[in-house]
């Protein structure tokens, strides 16, 4: 029976690295970016214009079904984002998961299919007229064989 919903990875399962971080006004708890309940912090803000990236280094190989991205941007504008994964470590070559070129506004949600076993996922904003930030990036775990039984 395949009725189980995917669960989100937690800060105990993920280390986060990034190109830069704005550390004022509640943004210093950047691990809140993966908290589905938004208990603390505002997410992740690079504190700068593109090119900026945030990377999720999983503590073990994990099948990721999808990413749920919640936009944080001011002013709203067209954005070009590339999402990549890899199966080794952050220094090895990444493979393409998705490329998104569209208008973004704060609060907008985007579900990105991954359907791959990965060790790392990197989200790179290539073009934007605004600082690069994400309110939420949920890494949704794929169903295991136990879930399917």
């Amino acid at each position: 029976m395949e009725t189980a919903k995917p669960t989100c990875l937690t800060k105990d399962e993920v280390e986060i690295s990034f190109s830069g971080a704005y550390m004022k006004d509640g943004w210093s708890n950047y691990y809140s970016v993966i908290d589905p309940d938004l208990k603390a912090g505002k997410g992740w803000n690079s504190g700068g214009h593109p090119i900026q990236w945030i990377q999720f280094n999983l503590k073990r190989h994990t099948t990721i079904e999808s990413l749920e991205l919640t936009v944080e941007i001011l002013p709203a504008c067209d954005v070009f984002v590339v999402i990549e994964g890899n199966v080794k470590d952050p220094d090895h070559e990444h493979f393409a998961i998705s490329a998104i070129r569209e208008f973004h506004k704060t609060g907008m949600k985007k579900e990105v299919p991954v359907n791959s076993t990965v060790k790392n996922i990197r989200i790179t904003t290539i073009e934007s007229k605004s600082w690069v930030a994400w309110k939420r990036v949920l890494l949704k775990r794929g169903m295991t064989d136990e879930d399917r039984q």
Side-chain angles (χ1 to χ4, degrees), residues 128-139:
S128 172
K129 293 181 180 175
S130 299
W131 277 9
V132 178
W134 294 103
K135 181 73 169 178
R136 188 77 52 249
V137 178
L138 301 181
L139 295 93

Side-chain angles (χ1 to χ4, degrees), residues 33-100:
V33 75
I34 62 173
D35 180 359
D37 299 323
L38 188 58
K39 293 177 187 165
K42 296 181 177 182
W44 171 76
N45 185 324
S46 69
H49 290 88
I51 296 174
Q52 300 286 338
W53 54 267
I54 184 168
Q55 182 161 298
F56 303 93
N57 305 306
L58 286 54
K59 294 185 178 177
R60 63 181 179 87
H61 287 86
T62 305
T63 300
I64 302 297
E65 180 177 297
S66 64
L67 303 177
E68 181 183 300
L69 307 174
T70 304
V71 174
E72 179 73 32
I73 194 166
L74 186 63
C77 63
D78 290 324
V79 176
F80 179 43
V81 175
V82 174
I83 301 170
E84 301 171 298
N86 91 24
V87 294
K88 293 189 179 182
D89 63 57
D91 297 327
H92 282 80
E93 186 174 327
H94 287 72
F95 60 88
I97 292 173
S98 183
I100 303 165

Side-chain angles (χ1 to χ4, degrees), residues 92-111:
H92 282 80
E93 186 174 327
H94 287 72
F95 60 88
I97 292 173
S98 183
I100 303 165
R101 184 183 294 271
E102 64 186 15
F103 184 80
H104 282 186
K105 63 182 182 178
T106 292
M108 181 179 118
K109 288 188 180 184
K110 178 84 174 169
E111 190 83 18

Side-chain angles (χ1 to χ4, degrees), residues 7-11 13-14 34 36 58 62 64 139-141:
T7 59
C8 298
L9 272 64
T10 67
K11 67 179 183 177
E13 300 170 284
V14 180
I34 62 173
L58 286 54
T62 305
I64 302 297
L139 295 93
K140 296 182 178 180
R141 185 187 333 271

